[in-house]
């Protein structure tokens, strides 16, 4: 029986890796991947608490987050493809047309 | 045994995440993301959430990573940043911020561990083994959480329409007008 805190610490580590990646990387595709990793870390927390507290609510939440993640990936990548058509770049520093 | 599996799955998930962030090639990053996701699915099995584990593999490994790989191939954007850009003050500050965040969240977990008594719920591992993970999630999803479930379908519809609008509906209209 593994303590729930270990799962929570693992999820915190994964979330930090994702957050660090979002700040560190300039390639928009990799940033989207890092966002997915952060969502996964949150899902792991939900499932760990669901197991700890003996309730199914956490797993239902994870189900909803997966739906949102799928939609987010599809819309995000469509926006990225459209941006690439206009700027011929995936570097996030090149997307500054809202800067004015 | 369970602890060994936890360390294998958890360790590989962390290694996959780190390799994803610190890899120059976006295709390799996506494949390391796949490794990380699969290992997290293994952790779900350890937490006796088999249904979520299968959904994780199907949605993340089967759909999202494939989608990302397709876009990487379409854009030909597999090359990341130039390596000399990596060791800058800005990047150092970012890594530091991530470490501070990790410390804060780790402290929160530590405090929680030593300050609360876990509440015993009704869903135990024995019940899951008896009734099945998918049945229990389904029971919850289609009774208590029916409205969010239906709203998720609307969200998916909005997502589909948005992606079609973003991804080339204009070109279809152009072609039809040209005829």
């Amino acid at each position: 029986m593994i303590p729930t805190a270990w799962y929570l610490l693992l999820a915190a580590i994964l979330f930090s890796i994702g957050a660090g990646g979002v700040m560190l990387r300039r390639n928009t595709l990799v940033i989207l991947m890092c966002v997915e990793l952060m969502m996964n870390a949150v899902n792991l927390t939900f499932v760990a608490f669901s197991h700890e507290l003996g309730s199914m609510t956490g797993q239902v939440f994870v189900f909803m987050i997966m739906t949102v993640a799928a939609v987010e990936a599809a819309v995000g990548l469509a926006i990225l493809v459209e941006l690439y058509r206009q700027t011929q770049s995936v570097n996030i520093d090149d997307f500054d047309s809202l800067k004015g | 045994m369970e602890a060994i599996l936890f360390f294998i799955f958890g360790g590989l998930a962390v290694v996959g995440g780190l390799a994803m962030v610190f890899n120059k090639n976006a295709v390799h990053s996506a494949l390391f993301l796949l490794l990380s996701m699969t290992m997290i699915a293994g952790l779900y099995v350890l937490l006796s959430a088999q249904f979520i584990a299968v959904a994780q593999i199907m949605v993340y490994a089967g759909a999202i990573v494939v989608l990302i790989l397709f876009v990487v191939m379409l854009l030909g954007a597999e090359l990341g940043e130039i390596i000399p850009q990596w060791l800058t003050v800005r990047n150092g500050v970012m890594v530091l911020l991530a470490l501070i965040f990790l410390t804060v969240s780790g402290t929160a977990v530590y405090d929680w561990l030593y300050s609360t008594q876990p509440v015993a719920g009704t869903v135990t591992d024995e019940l899951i083994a008896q009734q099945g993970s998918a049945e229990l999630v389904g029971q919850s999803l289609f009774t208590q959480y029916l409205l969010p479930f239906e709203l998720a379908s609307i969200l998916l519809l909005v997502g589909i329409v948005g992606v079609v609008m973003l991804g080339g509906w204009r070109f279809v209209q152009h072609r039809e007008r040209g005829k």
Side-chain angles (χ1 to χ4, degrees):
Chain A
M1 187 67 197
I2 298 158
T4 306
W6 291 12
Y7 285 103
L8 299 184
L9 273 181
L10 178 66
I13 292 169
L14 284 173
F15 192 94
S16 303
I17 292 172
V22 166
M23 295 186 285
L24 209 58
R25 294 301 301 259
R26 299 289 89 193
N27 188 334
T28 317
L29 277 160
V30 182
I31 290 178
L32 275 173
M33 291 181 215
C34 290
V35 172
E36 297 295 335
L37 188 68
M38 282 154 78
M39 278 198 186
N40 263 276
V42 173
N43 283 355
L44 186 59
T45 313
F46 267 120
V47 176
F49 271 120
S50 159
H51 186 251
E52 167 83 21
L53 303 176
S55 153
M56 274 293 143
T57 309
Q59 297 193 20
V60 174
F61 259 91
V62 170
F63 201 72
M64 296 297 161
I65 294 176
M66 277 180 183
T67 317
V68 175
V71 174
E72 174 253 294
V75 175
L77 289 169
I79 291 173
L80 185 59
V81 170
E82 188 64 24
L83 276 171
Y84 184 78
R85 275 183 193 148
Q86 293 183 4
T87 59
Q88 300 296 313
S89 161
V90 288
N91 191 325
I92 198 146
D93 290 332
D94 294 339
F95 303 148
D96 55 1
S97 50
L98 278 181
K99 219 173 180 177
Chain B
M1 183 63 197
E2 218 185 325
I4 298 169
L5 280 176
F6 173 83
F7 281 113
I8 292 173
F9 287 146
L12 277 175
V14 170
V15 167
L18 282 174
M20 179 191 80
V21 172
F22 291 107
N23 210 304
K24 200 173 159 237
N25 192 321
V27 176
H28 295 174
S29 284
L31 293 176
F32 279 120
L33 178 70
L34 180 61
L35 172 75
S36 208
M37 305 259 175
T38 319
M39 291 305 127
I40 290 173
L43 289 171
Y44 291 160
V45 174
L46 283 187
L47 284 165
S48 58
Q50 289 88 355
F51 175 68
I52 297 293
V54 173
Q56 162 94 359
I57 296 217
M58 272 166 45
V59 173
Y60 280 105
I64 292 181
V65 172
V66 173
L67 196 63
I68 290 175
L69 279 174
F70 261 111
V71 172
V72 173
M73 283 193 294
L74 271 177
L75 301 186
E78 63 268 18
L79 285 182
E81 297 90 304
I82 308 152
I83 288 293
Q85 284 181 346
W86 277 81
L87 282 172
T88 57
V89 179
R90 189 187 149 281
N91 286 357
V93 171
M94 294 310 175
V95 172
L96 197 69
L97 275 177
L99 285 177
I100 289 171
F101 178 80
L102 177 61
T103 319
V104 170
S105 48
T107 316
V109 170
Y110 189 80
D111 279 351
W112 176 80
L113 178 64
Y114 287 104
S115 64
T116 53
Q117 289 295 316
V119 190
T122 50
V123 183
T124 55
D125 282 0
E126 290 75 41
L127 187 71
I128 291 173
Q130 210 177 45
Q131 291 206 359
S133 170
E135 280 87 346
L136 284 168
V137 173
Q139 263 174 25
S140 221
L141 198 61
F142 290 114
T143 54
Q144 202 181 350
Y145 298 103
L146 188 60
L147 182 66
F149 179 76
E150 297 293 341
L151 287 178
S153 67
I154 294 177
L155 179 76
L156 280 171
L157 181 67
V158 171
I160 293 169
V161 173
V163 169
V164 171
M165 284 304 290
L166 279 168
W169 180 246
R170 271 194 321 234
F171 299 101
V172 177
Q173 281 179 322
H174 263 296
R175 220 179 300 142
E176 279 174 359
R177 225 175 282 140
K179 266 177 202 163

